Amino acid sequence: MTSENLSRRTALLLLAALVVGWGFNWIVNKITLQYVPPIWAVVFRTVPACLIYWVACVVTGRLARPVKADLPVIFSVGWLHMVGFSVLVSIGLQYLPAGRSIVLAYTTPLWVLPAARFFLNEPFTLRRTAGLVVGMSGLVLILRPGEMDWTSPDIILGHALVLLAAFSWAISIVYGRAHRWVTPLFELLPWQLLLASITQTAIAIAIEGTPKVDWSLEVVLCLAYGCLIGTCMAYWVMNTVNRGVPASVTSMGLLAVPVFGLLCSAIFLGEHIDASLMTATVLIIAGIVLGTAKISGRRKFQRNSLR
């Protein structure tokens, strides 16, 4: 689908499908972890997606050999987002409810604000400062230091890993802003996925050893969903939507993902959503809107895929 024939309505429908697909993907991933070790679960989603993209690019004639200038963004996206974010979230998701995890993971734009100031020297305006304060107040409300069981290593580890994943994603976004793009993102995806597949597999073997999977139809369907919807469709939609709507619309629309994910966690997993978690979600989203709305309106919101 080209930029000439992609209507705004089609782009918005694709964006809505992405919100639903990604929001539900967290529920599917949580279920998958009952049967598959966390790092291998990521591998079983990424490797088939890599093969699919390679075949698609070869068939359509869009397989490009990366030039030297492309290598930094291949490694930054491949390692920081596809490996760092995905692996850390998958491990952390073992110890936390899906709803809480998705809200923590989507604090990423808040970490982008100070990182962009430090690495890109972007001005830290009053609006951005207010957005960071509002968003971080939501994060503090989620963590509730006075009520958290600090004697539970699993609880602490789960929160730390998901927040570290969000920070890893943020650094990838910041680099994406600074990178001078030579090859279009779609043509780089097979190479990024190949790097991620090799790295994830090596980490899985080193840490988890030979995968021990309780195979069933449910497991296969969950992994297929994570591969086809959570990875393949998501990357394609993100590459396509910005051709039909402004980047600001895309970035704001994606804020519906944690909200939809929260609802799915309550409906399908029976997770309890209390008032503090809902309030924290509203504060984090409000902080992101306040701190990034003017930024995303002027320049493309991260060309990396959001997951």
Side-chain angles (χ1 to χ4, degrees):
M1 195 173 285
T2 64
S3 56
E4 288 77 13
N5 62 20
L6 181 67
S7 68
R8 180 181 177 87
R9 182 176 179 228
T10 300
L12 291 175
L13 288 173
L14 287 174
L15 182 58
L18 181 60
V19 168
V20 172
W22 261 344
F24 192 67
N25 190 51
W26 286 76
I27 311 307
V28 173
N29 291 344
K30 182 69 174 180
I31 295 173
T32 303
L33 293 177
Q34 299 177 32
Y35 310 100
V36 186
I39 305 178
W40 279 112
V42 177
V43 173
F44 291 150
R45 295 192 298 266
T46 305
V47 171
C50 177
L51 295 174
I52 290 171
Y53 264 94
W54 272 84
V55 171
C57 286
V58 169
V59 171
T60 58
R62 296 186 65 181
L63 183 63
R65 182 177 181 180
V67 298
K68 185 177 180 180
D70 294 325
L71 296 180
V73 80
I74 289 176
F75 282 98
S76 64
V77 175
W79 280 344
L80 291 175
H81 179 67
M82 294 183 176
V83 176
F85 178 81
S86 299
V87 169
L88 290 171
V89 161
S90 189
I91 298 174
L93 193 57
Q94 294 180 109
Y95 309 116
L96 299 178
R100 176 178 290 257
S101 297
I102 190 173
V103 175
L104 289 174
Y106 271 76
T107 60
T108 293
L110 297 178
W111 304 113
V112 168
L113 295 176
R117 176 68 181 90
F118 184 80
F119 292 108
L120 304 180
N121 201 31
E122 291 186 358
F124 212 74
T125 63
L126 179 61
R127 182 186 180 113
R128 294 181 182 181
T129 302
L132 187 61
V133 171
V134 172
M136 287 301 177
S137 66
L139 179 60
V140 171
L141 185 58
I142 286 182
L143 297 178
R144 287 177 288 184
E147 299 180 23
M148 187 178 295
D149 183 7
W150 294 100
T151 63
S152 172
D154 288 349
I155 295 296
I156 296 174
L157 180 62
H159 284 83
L161 288 174
V162 177
L163 286 175
L164 183 59
F167 183 73
S168 177
W169 185 7
I171 297 301
S172 175
I173 290 174
V174 171
Y175 181 80
R177 286 182 180 175
H179 179 73
R180 293 186 177 182
W181 294 81
V182 178
T183 304
L185 175 60
F186 186 87
E187 279 79 358
L188 291 181
L189 274 172
W191 300 98
Q192 293 165 343
L193 285 165
L194 178 62
L195 175 65
S197 297
I198 294 172
T199 306
Q200 290 170 2
T201 302
I203 294 174
I205 292 173
I207 295 178
E208 296 177 343
T210 304
K212 298 179 180 178
V213 181
D214 185 10
W215 291 105
S216 65
L217 179 60
E218 182 179 19
V219 174
V220 172
L221 291 176
C222 286
L223 291 174
Y225 183 96
C227 170
L228 297 176
I229 305 300
T231 304
C232 292
M233 185 203 79
Y235 288 148
W236 176 77
V237 170
M238 282 301 299
N239 184 65
T240 303
V241 164
N242 281 335
R243 301 174 184 174
V245 295
S248 58
V249 175
T250 303
S251 59
M252 294 301 107
L254 289 175
L255 295 180
V257 174
V259 177
F260 186 75
L262 270 178
L263 293 176
C264 287
S265 69
I267 295 172
F268 295 100
L269 299 179
E271 294 181 1
H272 176 63
I273 302 177
D274 55 22
S276 63
L277 182 57
M278 285 300 300
T279 303
T281 304
V282 171
L283 287 172
I284 289 172
I285 292 177
I288 293 172
V289 172
L290 185 62
T292 66
K294 292 182 71 175
I295 301 173
S296 58
R298 290 199 310 265
R299 63 178 65 182
K300 286 226 180 224
F301 187 73
Q302 170 52 359
R303 296 170 70 183
N304 298 351
S305 62
L306 299 175
R307 197 161 190 272

